[in-house]
Amino acid sequence: MNVFMLVSILAAGWVADKLGRRRTLVLANAFLMAGALAMSLGDSFAALMAARFITSVGAGFARVVGPVYNAEISPASTRGVLSSMLDMFINVGILLSYVSNYAFSGLPVHLGWRVMFGLGVIPPVFIAAGVLFILPESPRWLVMRGLHGDARAVLLRTSDAPAEADLRLGEMKRAVADAEPPHTAARHGGGASVWKQLLVRPSTSVRRILTCVLGLQFFVMASGVEAILLYSPRVFKAVGMASNSAILGATVAIGAVKTCFVLLGMLFTDRLGRRPLLLASTAGVAVTTAALAVTLYIGTSTTSSSTATAAACLALVLAVVATFSVGYGSVGSALYTAEVLPQRLRAQGSSIAMAVNKLTAALVSMTFISLADVITMPGCFFLYAAVTAAAFVFVYTRLPETKGRSLEDMELLFDK
């Protein structure tokens, strides 16, 4: 799915600039609904893969445009918590998928997975309806289109006072006016001019922003959490956990811990700032992943299984997921990227960043089993711990604090 998503991820920025954030989110949910229905009715492996591709198109659109919309609609004072809600609810979805997997495991094999996939049709219907009938368009996209009156109407709904709305509108108009060339690149959906400003001839501040954004997205996935989320049953079996119900219960615990700690990080994003959470997360993941590697080495090097080793392995897996979620999960994967990219480059820059995220996730998920055969499972986690230690250095030396700053101030921050 990570590979399939690249198609829509790379197109999402252009589509969001052309159609608007709301319409792109509706389109995403149409693909998600169709894909879930097709998966539940699939009658062959090829049909399932085709349906998975349809689902991935919707997921790619949503994963890029959701953070952009959240960042653009939110006031600076609460942007951290509001933007982090996306990742929190993604983790709620992961938790629900673990719970449904556990709940339907008792059904006949030919039926259980169809019911589980079929339930995925329901959420996109409600989300699309909510987007159409409740959510306003992004005020920043409206300003890019020259629809200042519509933008002000949205800002009046999302500001504490009319004066604040007018101030935010003035900042957005100045940001668009400062774009090169004025209005035209953004107004016509980006295109070659945006890619030129991003990749061919970026300014000093844009180059620094891209370095931070792409580096962060790489390290988020290279930390190895994708391997834990996908292959935790193999990890638990390696240390002697034999009961399928115990293993499925452990995966539910992983989903619950991940959701709770994303929520915890979300609550502190605007209080403590982005850097403290990211530094705590990278340090915590590096230490707990190294400890997990040591435990796996002990557990796999002995001939007899140990309940204590299995319990320690489960505790450390939960610790890795918790430390990952409190920083990477609440800040790294969506919030920081969406808020530091300049307005005219935000949608398509987010596409590039998410492409790096998913390519790295695909690399980790599709090589874990083969890599474990070569350097052993403990060796894999020692490698992930080393990569995360490098991430700590990257965050410490490269990423500035963005708490409380308006989106229009970000380029000035990276000019310094």
Side-chain angles (χ1 to χ4, degrees), residues 140-151:
R140 288 174 170 85
W141 183 81
L142 292 170
V143 170
M144 287 164 58
R145 290 280 173 167
L147 303 172
H148 298 156
D150 292 339

Side-chain angles (χ1 to χ4, degrees), residues 62-97:
R63 203 67 185 87
V64 172
V65 181
V68 170
Y69 178 85
N70 285 353
E72 290 184 348
I73 203 80
S74 305
S77 59
T78 55
R79 189 174 59 242
V81 64
L82 294 176
S83 297
S84 298
M85 280 186 177
L86 177 68
D87 277 297
M88 188 193 77
F89 283 108
I90 286 174
N91 283 284
V92 169
I94 293 171
L95 174 59
L96 290 176
S97 74

Side-chain angles (χ1 to χ4, degrees), residues 14-33:
W14 180 84
V15 174
D17 281 343
K18 193 75 174 177
L19 300 182
R21 292 16 173 175
R22 283 176 73 247
R23 292 174 186 168
T24 307
L25 289 173
V26 172
L27 182 64
N29 281 282
F31 277 106
L32 289 171
M33 181 175 59

Side-chain angles (χ1 to χ4, degrees), residues 115-181:
V115 175
M116 184 177 68
F117 280 136
L119 286 176
V121 175
I122 299 173
V125 175
F126 287 98
I127 297 170
V131 171
L132 280 174
F133 299 114
I134 299 174
L135 297 188
E137 182 53 85
S138 160
R140 288 174 170 85
W141 183 81
L142 292 170
V143 170
M144 287 164 58
R145 290 280 173 167
L147 303 172
H148 298 156
D150 292 339
R152 186 175 186 274
V154 175
L155 290 170
L156 287 172
R157 294 176 57 184
T158 58
S159 302
D160 293 330
E164 181 187 347
D166 290 333
L167 178 63
R168 292 172 63 191
L169 178 62
E171 291 176 346
M172 294 174 195
K173 289 164 70 174
R174 283 193 295 275
V176 172
D178 290 340
E180 185 182 52

Side-chain angles (χ1 to χ4, degrees), residues 159-339:
S159 302
D160 293 330
E164 181 187 347
D166 290 333
L167 178 63
R168 292 172 63 191
L169 178 62
E171 291 176 346
M172 294 174 195
K173 289 164 70 174
R174 283 193 295 275
V176 172
D178 290 340
E180 185 182 52
H183 294 288
T184 55
R187 177 168 291 193
H188 293 92
S193 176
V194 172
W195 291 108
K196 183 177 180 180
Q197 293 179 64
L198 274 170
L199 301 176
V200 180
R201 293 180 181 175
S203 65
T204 301
S205 59
V206 169
R207 185 169 61 251
R208 289 172 178 168
I209 289 170
L210 273 180
T211 300
C212 291
V213 163
L214 300 185
L216 183 59
Q217 293 300 331
F218 167 78
F219 281 120
V220 164
M221 288 293 106
S223 64
V225 74
E226 190 83 351
I228 289 178
L229 294 178
L230 293 176
Y231 299 113
S232 55
R234 285 178 176 265
V235 175
F236 296 139
K237 286 179 180 179
V239 292
M241 192 182 293
S243 168
N244 282 335
S245 60
I247 291 173
L248 284 173
T251 61
V252 173
I254 290 172
V257 167
K258 196 170 190 297
T259 303
C260 290
F261 276 85
V262 167
L263 174 60
L264 182 66
M266 183 188 79
L267 294 176
F268 285 100
T269 299
D270 287 317
R271 296 182 184 180
L272 299 180
R274 286 51 159 164
R275 270 176 60 87
L277 288 176
L278 285 171
L279 289 171
S281 183
T282 50
V285 172
V287 171
T288 53
T289 303
L292 175 61
V294 172
T295 304
L296 284 170
Y297 177 78
I298 295 171
T300 56
S301 60
T302 57
T303 55
S304 59
S305 60
S306 166
T307 303
T309 303
C313 181
L314 173 58
L316 285 167
V317 164
L318 296 178
V320 173
V321 171
T323 52
F324 176 91
S325 301
V326 79
Y328 275 148
S330 60
V331 178
S333 60
L335 168 61
Y336 199 89
T337 295
E339 67 180 3

